[in-house]
């Protein structure tokens, strides 16, 4: 493990495992344990998600893993979490591990971060975006969601808010019982990110990507946020299904995972059967 300095001067731990073509994956390489792991399981999240992805790839790839989401939550960047600085951070990690060329896989907002990285460097050998569409992305909707969440964090008399992406209650779990756990600086950094992206033309950006590229999402990855968020509808899979031909023409391989929502489609048991053979076909010489 090494520690790499990010754009704001704070360090992030980076774990490298395996040999072969390098792939950067912004995931927590250390399995979560105890009560926090139990809470993750309630949301349908594998507490060892990052470790499972690393183990599933490191027999043929040099996996560079770093918990970037955990980093920005612990070392918030309320005014500087921008596409340019995301790129600076990821390039700093690649430089620190001596990777002149590298693949990148990210999910959700870390997928859109990968897109921003890909249009700013020629060093990417392959780009994989999960849980966020490369074209017709919901940037406006996500700004509204993050602004509303930021407003909740400013509430001097905080109530219990459901901040998880899967908003509607289920029989298994009472989403309304989840308290807002992010503070003002943590929520503001995501407002900064999506505000910076409001003028981003993701269709035009496709001409700036020269590497093989893969995108995927769950077939039911459509999120209805409640009244506190302005009743915003965030459709992740719609752009993949409705603009499939456009994505293919732009060079994307597209997968829609049947029956899975945003959380389900990010789990390693569903990601690896797509990610591994695709990477093998693009990066390995037989």
């Amino acid at each position: 493990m090494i520690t790499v300095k990010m754009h704001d001067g704070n360090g992030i731990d980076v774990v490298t495992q395996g040999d072969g073509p390098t792939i950067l994956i912004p995931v927590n390489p250390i399995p979560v344990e105890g009560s926090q792991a139990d809470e993750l399981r309630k949301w349908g999240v594998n507490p060892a998600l990052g470790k499972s992805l690393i183990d599933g790839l490191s027999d043929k790839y040099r996996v560079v893993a770093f918990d970037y989401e955990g980093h920005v939550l612990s070392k918030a960047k309320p005014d500087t979490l921008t596409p340019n600085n995301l790129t600076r951070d990821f390039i700093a990690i690649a430089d620190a591990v001596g990777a002149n060329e590298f693949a990148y896989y990210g999910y959700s907002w870390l997928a859109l971060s990968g897109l921003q990285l890909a249009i700013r460097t020629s060093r990417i050998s392959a780009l994989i975006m999960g849980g966020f569409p490369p074209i017709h992305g919901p940037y406006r909707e996500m700004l509204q969601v993050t602004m509303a969440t930021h407003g909740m964090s400013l509430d001097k008399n905080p109530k219990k808010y459901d901040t998880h992406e899967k908003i509607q209650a289920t029989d298994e779990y009472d989403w309304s019982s989840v308290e807002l756990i992010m503070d003002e600086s943590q929520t503001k950094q995501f407002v900064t990110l999506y505000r910076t992206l409001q003028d981003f033309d993701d269709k035009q950006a496709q001409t700036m990507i020269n590497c093989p590229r893969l995108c995927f999402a769950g077939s039911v990855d459509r999120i209805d946020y409640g009244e506190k968020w302005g009743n915003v509808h965030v459709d992740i899979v719609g752009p993949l299904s409705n603009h499939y031909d456009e994505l293919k023409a732009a060079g994307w391989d597209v997968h829609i995972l049947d029956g899975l929502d945003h959380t389900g489609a990010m789990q390693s048991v569903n990601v690896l059967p797509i990610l591994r053979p695709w990477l093998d076909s693009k990066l390995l010489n037989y």
Side-chain angles (χ1 to χ4, degrees), residues 166 217-224 233-238 256-265:
K166 186 174 182 180
S219 66
V220 293
D221 192 348
R222 299 178 180 89
I223 307 161
D224 290 313
H233 177 70
V234 178
D235 189 352
I236 298 298
V237 70
I256 297 176
L257 306 183
D258 188 43
L260 297 180
D261 61 9
H262 195 70
T263 300

Side-chain angles (χ1 to χ4, degrees), residues 82-92 113 116-117 120-121:
T82 64
N84 284 336
N85 284 331
L86 286 166
T87 297
R88 286 176 57 192
D89 288 348
F90 296 159
I91 292 296
S113 299
Q116 296 301 313
L117 174 66
R120 288 170 168 81
T121 181

Side-chain angles (χ1 to χ4, degrees), residues 160-197:
K160 287 185 177 181
Y161 295 110
D162 170 11
T163 59
H164 193 270
E165 290 170 318
K166 186 174 182 180
I167 298 302
Q168 294 180 345
T170 69
D171 292 338
E172 290 80 16
Y173 197 71
D174 181 7
W175 305 115
S176 65
S177 69
V178 179
E179 295 185 32
L180 179 70
I181 58 174
M182 291 194 290
D183 63 25
E184 175 185 352
S185 61
Q186 291 171 321
T187 58
K188 186 181 178 184
Q189 63 189 335
F190 294 107
V191 174
T192 296
L193 176 62
Y194 284 107
R195 182 171 284 153
T196 307
L197 290 167

Side-chain angles (χ1 to χ4, degrees), residues 81-265:
L81 192 65
T82 64
N84 284 336
N85 284 331
L86 286 166
T87 297
R88 286 176 57 192
D89 288 348
F90 296 159
I91 292 296
I93 291 170
D95 288 345
V97 300
N100 292 325
E101 186 179 66
F102 53 90
Y104 177 93
Y105 163 57
Y107 194 85
S108 197
W109 73 273
L110 290 166
L112 74 85
S113 299
L115 179 61
Q116 296 301 313
L117 174 66
I119 66 176
R120 288 170 168 81
T121 181
S122 60
R123 293 167 60 178
I124 294 188
S125 58
L127 172 64
I128 306 98
M129 293 180 63
F132 200 94
I135 301 177
H136 305 289
Y139 297 99
R140 178 182 59 82
E141 293 86 348
M142 287 309 302
L143 177 61
Q144 186 171 344
V145 169
T146 53
M147 287 181 66
T149 305
H150 180 55
M152 295 177 199
S153 71
L154 296 173
D155 192 342
K156 302 304 180 183
N157 298 295
K159 308 173 185 65
K160 287 185 177 181
Y161 295 110
D162 170 11
T163 59
H164 193 270
E165 290 170 318
K166 186 174 182 180
I167 298 302
Q168 294 180 345
T170 69
D171 292 338
E172 290 80 16
Y173 197 71
D174 181 7
W175 305 115
S176 65
S177 69
V178 179
E179 295 185 32
L180 179 70
I181 58 174
M182 291 194 290
D183 63 25
E184 175 185 352
S185 61
Q186 291 171 321
T187 58
K188 186 181 178 184
Q189 63 189 335
F190 294 107
V191 174
T192 296
L193 176 62
Y194 284 107
R195 182 171 284 153
T196 307
L197 290 167
Q198 289 308 290
D199 294 326
F200 174 59
D201 186 341
D202 55 10
K203 186 174 182 178
Q204 177 61 32
Q206 304 304 312
T207 62
M208 304 167 68
I209 307 173
N210 298 312
C211 64
R213 64 211 79 163
L214 165 70
C215 62
F216 68 89
S219 66
V220 293
D221 192 348
R222 299 178 180 89
I223 307 161
D224 290 313
Y225 287 84
E227 184 177 353
K228 297 182 181 70
W229 289 266
N231 296 310
V232 179
H233 177 70
V234 178
D235 189 352
I236 298 298
V237 70
L240 270 63
S241 57
N242 298 333
H243 301 280
Y244 180 87
D245 291 340
E246 182 180 0
L247 283 163
K248 294 292 288 185
W252 289 90
D253 293 319
V254 183
H255 284 267
I256 297 176
L257 306 183
D258 188 43
L260 297 180
D261 61 9
H262 195 70
T263 300

